[in-house]
Amino acid sequence: MPAKPLPEIIVRPAPGDRRRAIVQAGSLTFRAALGRSGRSSRKREGDGATPIAAMRILYGFYRRDHGAPPRSLLKLIPIRSWMLWCDAPGDANYNRPVRIPFGKSHEVLTRDDSLYDICLVLDWNMSERKQGAGSAIFFHLTRPGYTPTEGCVAIARRDMERLLPLIGPKTMLRVL
């Protein structure tokens, strides 16, 4: 029987480094990386900040070529080579998935590193899009050493694999 989904996951700033965080998920606690500019209540495209907000976890992506699908209560979509994410303010596809070829600014989902091997889409500027308010804000895997992200929240793969079975479509990620 699957575990009951968590209502929320809390992301608190870690002491001593504005680019690091502590993730609290029920009784579980994990280290995390935040944006290179820390957190912001005034998120803007390209500022490198993680938005201070409560964001529903909508669905996720995973790299099928990097392992079996992770256990999850969320809809998980295998990443294909043609998948991109538009981060071009002013474009009608801003903060939406798009396909190759796409000539405007975008994020490649089939990254050369492992950051998007498991990548959860957060409802930041998605349900009610505002041009330039930030795009591609994900909950994904961290680099070694928990180096800063471009504005996302990132945790270790082993931690994401423990957490994923507890995340449902109503789970909120709350960045304080």
Side-chain angles (χ1 to χ4, degrees):
M1 175 175 229
K4 183 179 178 184
L6 293 168
E8 71 177 2
I9 297 167
I10 305 293
V11 180
R12 300 179 197 289
D17 188 343
R18 65 191 177 113
R19 301 167 309 166
R20 298 261 177 107
I22 308 286
V23 172
Q24 183 73 44
S27 62
L28 302 173
T29 303
F30 307 114
R31 294 172 52 195
L34 297 176
R36 69 181 186 282
S37 301
R39 301 165 303 119
S40 175
S41 60
R42 297 179 184 196
K43 174 75 184 145
R44 294 290 171 249
E45 186 67 43
D47 66 2
T50 301
I52 296 172
M55 301 167 275
R56 194 163 60 90
I57 302 172
L58 301 173
Y59 60 94
F61 295 107
Y62 73 97
R63 289 286 300 266
R64 186 172 30 198
D65 58 326
H66 290 190
R71 285 187 20 217
S72 178
L73 301 171
L74 287 173
K75 177 181 179 181
L76 295 179
I77 301 165
I79 296 175
R80 310 276 192 220
S81 60
W82 47 262
M83 296 170 81
L84 308 170
W85 195 276
C86 176
D87 60 9
D91 188 84
N93 297 298
Y94 179 64
N95 202 25
R96 294 284 186 265
V98 291
R99 301 173 67 107
I100 289 175
F102 187 75
K104 298 201 175 157
S105 182
H106 60 270
E107 183 82 19
V108 176
L109 296 183
T110 52
R111 295 176 62 107
D112 291 333
D113 56 27
S114 62
L115 298 188
Y116 291 175
D117 283 5
I118 303 171
C119 177
L120 306 181
V121 178
L122 301 175
D123 191 9
W124 174 258
N125 202 26
M126 293 279 298
S127 296
E128 298 178 23
R129 274 185 305 166
K130 183 177 177 186
Q131 293 291 328
S135 64
I137 302 300
F138 302 137
F139 186 26
H140 62 71
L141 305 182
T142 189
R143 291 182 181 89
Y146 295 85
T147 58
T149 69
E150 294 299 313
C152 300
V153 177
I155 62 175
R157 182 182 192 109
R158 71 182 178 281
D159 297 336
M160 183 68 84
E161 288 172 347
R162 285 183 68 197
L163 187 55
L164 249 176
L166 303 174
I167 299 173
K170 293 184 179 180
T171 303
M172 299 291 286
L173 184 98
R174 190 175 310 274
V175 178
L176 304 179

